[in-house]
Amino acid sequence: MSTQQPLDGRVAIVTGASRGIGAATARALHRAGAAVVLAARDADALHTLAAEIEADGGRALAVPTDVTDAAAVERMVDATLDRFGHLDAAVNNAAGGGHSPTPLAEVDIADFDSALAVNLRGVFLAMKYEIPAMLDWGAGTIVNMSSTAGLQAVGGLTGYVSAKFGLIGLTRTAALDYADRGIRVNALAPGPIHTEQLEAAGEQARQAAAQAMPMRRIGLPEEVAAAVVWLCSDESSFITGATLPIDGGKLAGSPPFRRPTGGGRPNPTAT
Ligand code: NAP
């Protein structure tokens, strides 16, 4: 006898599903019972993940999509409805474009535009086509992937920070527009998470990032995915317009001063 899962019978789109947090999220949604639609540009990666999910007894559809292309985003939603009949949940997670750390006046205009095109306009486009499908079905939940950089700026990242702050405004506006029509819209704000970029940065950089965190570690994609599943489930039924940090305490403030390992208050009982 199979156990009831929180998202049994639900259908979810995940953008940026070809790797990292998006791929982990697609796996978690599948394990929670949902059929998943996998969207990103890397068709091979999407088909490999879809095959993995189907081999595990799930339902998955790979839909190669560039989120900067309105027609492609509309096709992503149409393909979902053609295959699964309705849409319950969407995780707008794709990110890209942008520029390496650069003081604002030196940022290329094209690089700024591309950061906004993927990270902000791409989420607007996704919601523009996802929401009508959810209204037709009568209910839906949307999770938009912001960042701690969408709540606390990071110098040098003009494009990314602007987009991630904007995405929180987009999330709140959509939440208000549809709060009384059965659609909940929330955002997540991950801190440093161990995906490809941090893997490429090397062990030393990861250690440095970890030490700057109150929990003294970086997060895992699965820890973000677990929050997505919860926000897509009925367990979070009264939550909309919220932004939830998944950041090991980073946005709470500065960690307490600690002496380096081996230090600490001398033990008065020691001889
Ligand atoms: P990642 O490894 O760089 O993956 C980004 C995903 O977005 C890939 O699947 C990529 O696939 C897709 N993508 C990029 N441009 C696209 C486009 N134009 N159209 C469609 N898909 C596109 O990112 P991640 O680390 O997993 O992060 C996922 C999300 O969490 C992002 O929104 C990111 O800003 C946020 N976040 C991450 C961290 C972290 O430390 N990792 C921290 C805070 C927030 P293709 O290349 O195949 O298109």
Side-chain angles (χ1 to χ4, degrees), residues 70-233:
V73 175
E74 186 174 20
R75 278 197 302 275
M76 169 186 83
V77 175
D78 288 346
T80 304
L81 300 179
D82 285 349
R83 170 73 182 269
F84 297 117
H86 64 272
L87 175 65
D88 300 274
V91 187
N92 299 316
N93 162 81
H99 52 82
S100 52
T102 312
L104 187 148
E106 294 160 37
V107 173
D108 280 346
I109 295 170
D111 289 344
F112 180 79
D113 287 348
S114 88
L116 265 65
V118 181
N119 302 324
L120 186 60
R121 185 175 177 273
V123 176
F124 160 74
L125 288 177
M127 290 202 290
K128 178 172 172 57
Y129 296 109
E130 291 158 356
I131 286 171
M134 291 175 174
L135 289 173
D136 283 348
W137 181 235
T141 57
I142 295 175
V143 180
N144 294 325
M145 202 60 73
S146 183
S147 166
T148 50
L151 290 161
Q152 186 177 67
V154 179
L157 297 183
T158 304
Y160 186 77
V161 166
S162 302
K164 293 299 189 182
F165 264 76
L167 200 155
I168 291 173
L170 202 58
T171 298
R172 290 181 185 172
T173 308
L176 293 170
D177 285 348
Y178 298 99
D180 61 355
R181 299 178 71 185
I183 299 177
R184 296 187 295 112
V185 189
N186 293 293
L188 291 178
I193 304 295
H194 195 153
T195 58
E196 263 178 28
Q197 274 189 29
L198 268 176
E199 183 59 31
E203 180 60 25
Q204 218 175 351
R206 282 197 299 280
Q207 284 295 335
Q211 283 314 308
M213 301 289 290
M215 287 180 114
R216 311 291 183 195
R217 69 172 179 87
I218 55 180
L220 298 173
E222 292 73 19
E223 293 177 302
V224 181
V228 172
V229 169
W230 177 69
L231 282 174
C232 289
S233 79

Side-chain angles (χ1 to χ4, degrees), residues 16 18-19 21 41-42 65-67 93 95 160 164 190-191 193 195:
S18 59
R19 58 177 186 267
I21 292 170
R41 294 164 304 172
D42 183 343
T65 306
D66 184 335
V67 297
N93 162 81
Y160 186 77
K164 293 299 189 182
I193 304 295
T195 58

